[in-house]
Amino acid sequence: MKGRNIVISSILVLSVASIPFVWSDDDSEEWQEYSRHSTGVAKITNPVYLQECGDCHMAYPAGLLPADAWQRVMNGLEDHFGDNAELDPSTRKQITDYLIANSADKSDYRRSQRFAKRDKKSNDNMRITETPYFRHEHNEILARLVITNKEVNSFSNCNSCHQKAEQASFKERDILIPGYGRWDD
Amino acid sequence: MIIIFPFVLLLAGLFSGAVWADNAAVSEMLDVYIQQGAVQPDAQAGKAIWLKTFIASDGSIRSCTTCHGNDLKQSGKHVKTKKLIKPMAPSVNPDRLSKTRNIRKWFRRNCKWTIGRECTVVEKASLLAFINQQ
């Protein structure tokens, strides 16, 4: 009987104690930080990377690829997926160091840790779109929604559908596929 | 006539100097190219290069206009990523040609992609003269 009282009072105390968390403002900094760690990847913090790579395409957050893949990307800028993206040696080193230090396998963000996982097909690939996690997340997306959709053009254009991709947020509620609408899994 | 001719040349030289003088980065780069042998930067020749098409090793047809478009006062679009490229004309986009580092960087990259080799100093000087007029 005494034991049961303790259990009941514990449940009461715990439920009262949890009220502030449940009722806390969704937009509080703590909540956003927790939310980002569980659903996002780290934001880009290096202005040189943002500028140099963002000139031609959305600068991808470093936490979308593991370090070895970034290293391969940065070793081959003369033929960067068919484009020439050469950089002077000091800028290249600065960006490479940043990407490797913040790569998916070094991040404590949950989504980055998923991006860090490799399989045989993606082992020596350097495309974010070829990582097992990316393929798994996009396997229901039809080509006509992306590749032949003139407003999207390619799976590489994250920000065409992920409206907060440039803030490193890939939440489902922020997906809006042009010409199709919201995506609901 | 014999006496006037050198003056005409001198005036022409001064005038062309004045044309570049409003942009320090352009003046600096043109000086470099002139020292390397691009004696007279020619905007008309630059325009011809801008519009010329080249065939890449993969068979695709490439030109400056592929990404930047024919009208330098308008925005362009990266042929592959479709990302907007701001106008090249300094008259509508004063950031253009404002840094020698960027002039060097983009000439190196874009000549290699478009033409398949680095541009010569004559080509670079002419292109720079052409873009600077826009």
Side-chain angles (χ1 to χ4, degrees):
Chain A
M1 193 63 192
K2 204 180 173 187
R4 216 170 93 187
N5 275 346
I6 290 172
V7 169
I8 290 169
S9 49
S10 301
I11 289 169
L12 274 173
V13 166
L14 280 174
S15 50
V16 170
S18 69
I19 285 173
F21 294 101
V22 176
W23 283 357
S24 69
D25 186 354
D26 257 11
D27 293 330
S28 75
E29 262 178 47
E30 296 79 24
W31 176 256
Q32 278 189 2
E33 202 43 42
Y34 168 76
S35 167
R36 288 195 62 75
H37 268 81
S38 61
T39 65
V41 297
K43 285 184 185 176
I44 295 168
T45 54
N46 184 308
V48 178
Y49 170 64
L50 201 57
Q51 168 74 49
E52 291 293 342
C53 303
D55 268 341
C56 300
H57 56 73
M58 185 194 108
Y60 304 106
L64 296 183
L65 267 188
D68 63 318
W70 280 128
Q71 185 67 66
R72 279 195 294 276
V73 170
M74 295 305 290
N75 284 347
L77 289 177
E78 292 76 10
D79 181 6
H80 184 60
F81 307 105
D83 208 346
N84 185 306
E86 277 178 65
L87 286 169
D88 64 85
S90 77
T91 310
R92 191 179 71 151
K93 182 175 187 311
Q94 196 184 342
I95 292 174
T96 307
D97 291 349
Y98 166 73
L99 290 171
I100 287 176
N102 294 278
S103 59
D105 44 332
K106 296 194 179 66
S107 173
D108 58 358
Y109 281 69
R110 270 169 57 192
R111 209 186 279 273
S112 282
Q113 286 162 6
R114 290 173 185 150
F115 269 107
K117 295 199 175 86
R118 315 305 296 261
D119 62 8
K120 267 186 188 159
K121 192 178 167 192
S122 67
N123 238 357
D124 41 61
N125 207 296
M126 46 188 184
R127 286 179 189 273
I128 296 165
T129 52
E130 293 289 338
T131 57
Y133 179 60
F134 184 97
R135 283 189 274 119
H136 173 260
E137 286 295 301
H138 296 83
N139 63 0
E140 288 175 25
I141 313 287
L142 301 167
R144 72 180 162 81
L145 298 181
V146 175
I147 296 164
T148 56
N149 183 343
K150 285 215 163 69
E151 288 179 77
V152 182
N153 175 55
S154 159
F155 278 104
S156 311
N157 287 332
C158 311
N159 51 331
S160 293
C161 304
H162 292 276
Q163 300 188 295
K164 292 191 180 160
E166 283 174 283
Q167 289 88 53
S169 172
F170 296 90
K171 279 187 201 144
E172 202 167 292
R173 72 163 96 134
D174 295 326
I175 299 172
L176 183 66
I177 302 175
Y180 174 84
R182 303 223 163 261
W183 180 260
D184 199 2
D185 217 354
Chain B
M1 187 64 198
I2 294 162
I3 300 164
I4 293 168
F5 189 64
F7 280 105
V8 172
L9 270 184
L10 183 67
L11 274 176
L14 282 173
F15 182 69
S16 65
V19 169
W20 321 127
D22 58 348
N23 184 330
V26 173
S27 304
E28 190 184 329
M29 289 313 302
L30 283 176
D31 281 348
V32 170
Y33 298 145
I34 288 166
Q35 276 169 24
Q36 292 174 357
V39 182
Q40 188 61 55
D42 178 356
Q44 274 308 308
K47 184 180 184 180
I49 301 167
W50 184 269
L51 297 172
K52 191 172 174 183
T53 55
F54 303 88
I55 297 168
S57 54
D58 67 358
S60 63
I61 295 166
R62 296 177 181 181
S63 159
C64 301
T65 64
T66 306
C67 296
H68 294 293
N70 285 316
D71 183 355
L72 283 75
K73 294 190 175 76
Q74 302 278 319
S75 290
K77 200 155 105 177
H78 192 286
V79 65
K80 191 161 180 185
T81 68
K82 312 291 182 200
K83 181 153 181 161
L84 184 100
I85 302 172
K86 289 177 188 158
M88 285 306 297
S91 63
V92 297
N93 181 6
D95 270 358
R96 291 301 186 203
L97 311 186
S98 64
K99 293 196 185 83
T100 55
R101 180 182 175 273
N102 286 346
I103 296 172
R104 290 175 200 271
K105 180 178 89 175
W106 289 108
F107 267 150
R108 188 170 60 235
R109 284 184 181 181
N110 290 353
C111 286
K112 282 189 180 176
W113 185 84
T114 312
I115 307 183
R117 58 164 170 80
E118 287 215 50
C119 289
T120 65
V121 286
V122 176
E123 288 166 333
K124 285 190 273 196
S126 298
L127 278 166
L128 198 52
F130 168 64
I131 299 167
N132 194 42
Q133 282 181 354
Q134 304 304 304

